[in-house]
Amino acid sequence: MPPSDPPLHRRIRSFVLREGRLTKGQQQALETLLPRFGVNLSQGMLDLDALFGRSAPKIVEIGFGNGASLAAMAAAYPQNDYFGIEVHRPGVGNLLLQIDAQQLSNVRLSHDDAIEVLRQQIPEQSLDAVYLFFPDPWHKRKHHKRRIVQPEFAQLLRSRLKPGGIFHMATDWQHYAEHMMKVMSAAEGFENTAGAGQYTPRPDYRPLTRFEQRGQRLGHGVWDLIFKRTA
Ligand SMILES: C[S@@+](CC[C@H](N)C(=O)[O-])C[C@H]1O[C@@H](n2cnc3c(N)ncnc32)[C@H](O)[C@@H]1O
């Protein structure tokens, strides 16, 4: 294994699969559209330019949920290619429906564990950005080890990002924001674009989710952190 591909012994997963009910539309989208827009682990290492059929900036969103932010960004920035990773099948079905409805040609997706997708399918130094918006916060102390942002995860991302590429996180849970800040500030090869220890105002490209709008009305905070791969 090359040195830039650190062994991740953690098989503690950052999610619990709750199947949830699929709507008829989502079920149909999974059957008909997933083969067209989806990839799976058995395909091994990907050639991202070949997958999208062009050379363009490549952005990964981890845990896209119902896909609303990803679809909005893909529509707003047709010059970028977006690769979404989400294990929750109804969310995957939902994003597929949006790809179809909006005729988005710059979105591809995976419904496997993002850690494995990054390790097994995303080439080194191939990404311009990785987005992680509102990851599962795992509130209880005994569950903190399930949080996806960990030192090994930072190094995995570092190896997949191009030098100068960015890792953008957002969370509405202050304790997780502080954890992200601590892990990423200590991570070799990254620099906080807002200055040491600083959070970033939400950049325009990150759509405001409905959940977040409601939170704002209730006076809840949201923290954005943007780190750049420097080396
Ligand atoms: C709290 S939700 C947020 C969803 C979305 N980003 C949003 O802002 O609404 C976190 C999502 O991350 C997904 N997730 C967690 N760990 C994952 C992993 N290792 N690989 C892929 N998806 C993951 C979960 O299934 C869940 O849908």
Side-chain angles (χ1 to χ4, degrees), residues 72-145:
M73 291 186 293
Y77 303 96
Q79 66 274 29
N80 294 336
D81 289 336
Y82 293 87
F83 185 86
I85 313 175
E86 172 57 64
V87 286
H88 188 57
R89 268 159 49 93
V92 172
N94 212 52
L95 178 59
L96 288 166
L97 288 172
Q98 293 176 74
I99 292 173
D100 193 42
Q102 298 185 54
Q103 291 292 297
L104 299 171
S105 60
N106 57 341
V107 181
R108 298 291 182 276
L109 56 91
S110 162
H111 60 117
D112 289 310
D113 181 342
I115 302 283
E116 292 309 323
V117 177
L118 287 163
R119 290 184 72 190
Q120 299 179 34
Q121 303 207 266
I122 303 292
E124 293 191 4
Q125 305 209 27
S126 62
L127 303 178
D128 295 84
V130 175
Y131 298 159
L132 179 68
F133 299 153
F134 306 98
D136 295 307
W138 294 108
H139 300 117
K140 292 184 187 157
R141 179 178 291 277
K142 68 173 183 196
H143 289 148
H144 286 178
K145 54 184 183 293

Side-chain angles (χ1 to χ4, degrees), residues 2-5 45 122-127 159-162:
S4 55
D5 204 352
M45 196 55 81
I122 303 292
E124 293 191 4
Q125 305 209 27
S126 62
L127 303 178
S159 70
R160 271 44 182 178
L161 284 168
K162 296 176 185 168

Side-chain angles (χ1 to χ4, degrees), residues 38-211:
V39 302
N40 60 62
L41 287 175
S42 67
Q43 288 172 250
M45 196 55 81
L46 300 170
D47 174 337
L48 294 180
D49 283 349
L51 182 68
F52 286 89
R54 66 174 182 172
S55 166
K58 299 287 186 279
I59 298 173
V60 163
E61 184 180 352
I62 296 173
F64 58 72
N66 68 10
S69 292
L70 187 51
M73 291 186 293
Y77 303 96
Q79 66 274 29
N80 294 336
D81 289 336
Y82 293 87
F83 185 86
I85 313 175
E86 172 57 64
V87 286
H88 188 57
R89 268 159 49 93
V92 172
N94 212 52
L95 178 59
L96 288 166
L97 288 172
Q98 293 176 74
I99 292 173
D100 193 42
Q102 298 185 54
Q103 291 292 297
L104 299 171
S105 60
N106 57 341
V107 181
R108 298 291 182 276
L109 56 91
S110 162
H111 60 117
D112 289 310
D113 181 342
I115 302 283
E116 292 309 323
V117 177
L118 287 163
R119 290 184 72 190
Q120 299 179 34
Q121 303 207 266
I122 303 292
E124 293 191 4
Q125 305 209 27
S126 62
L127 303 178
D128 295 84
V130 175
Y131 298 159
L132 179 68
F133 299 153
F134 306 98
D136 295 307
W138 294 108
H139 300 117
K140 292 184 187 157
R141 179 178 291 277
K142 68 173 183 196
H143 289 148
H144 286 178
K145 54 184 183 293
R146 285 183 170 274
R147 289 177 170 172
I148 197 166
V149 178
Q150 303 291 348
E152 299 86 349
F153 176 71
Q155 292 309 313
L156 174 62
L157 290 190
R158 179 187 175 197
S159 70
R160 271 44 182 178
L161 284 168
K162 296 176 185 168
I166 68 144
F167 175 34
H168 179 179
M169 294 153 275
T171 181
D172 58 351
W173 187 247
Q174 184 173 1
H175 189 269
Y176 200 179
E178 288 164 1
H179 168 89
M180 289 167 168
M181 185 63 85
K182 191 166 151 203
V183 170
M184 290 310 300
S185 299
E188 204 178 315
F190 282 100
E191 169 188 288
N192 186 338
T193 59
Q198 300 298 310
Y199 296 97
T200 308
R202 177 181 65 86
D204 288 341
Y205 65 75
R206 183 174 72 72
L208 256 191
T209 61
R210 249 191 302 171
F211 166 76

